[in-house]
Amino acid sequence: MVDGVETAATAMGDGPVDAVFNAIHQLVPHRAVLRLFQVHAVTEGTDAQAQVSVRLEEDGRIATGQAADTDTLTASATAYVNALNNLFSRKEKSAPEPMAASGF
């Protein structure tokens, strides 16, 4: 879902995680650079949950996202989207407020 609209994309990459990130980039264009991608198993066994951490940087702003799922690709996509949402939120907060009409 992008802005409340169900969307889809197909992309290639150097592996499945890169392809997922490229597909997200197609749907939500941005200039952020991936600075960190970490995967840790938080449980044991064949149904182990993967916890993924993603750090993005754009224009000096750094944002992180995390997610956990038994599917590493799902956890990776969710962490990436969470990092993008955090980055966009930081950009919004630091953007100058529109000037109010001065009446002059």
Side-chain angles (χ1 to χ4, degrees), residues 25-97:
H25 189 268
Q26 285 179 23
L27 298 172
V28 184
H30 57 84
R31 296 187 333 262
V33 176
L34 180 65
R35 295 294 184 202
L36 174 75
F37 174 76
Q38 286 183 325
V39 179
H40 298 284
V42 292
T43 59
E44 294 181 13
T46 57
D47 61 345
Q49 277 209 337
Q51 180 170 341
V52 176
S53 298
V54 170
R55 183 178 303 140
L56 300 176
E57 181 180 2
E58 182 180 77
D59 298 330
R61 292 182 191 89
I62 296 174
T64 58
Q66 294 184 350
D69 197 281
T70 54
D71 183 329
T72 304
L73 292 178
T74 300
S76 298
T78 304
Y80 193 83
V81 168
N82 289 342
L84 280 176
N85 284 336
N86 289 337
L87 186 64
F88 294 154
S89 177
R90 287 176 188 229
K91 284 170 63 172
E92 243 177 51
K93 288 179 183 176
S94 66
E97 293 286 327

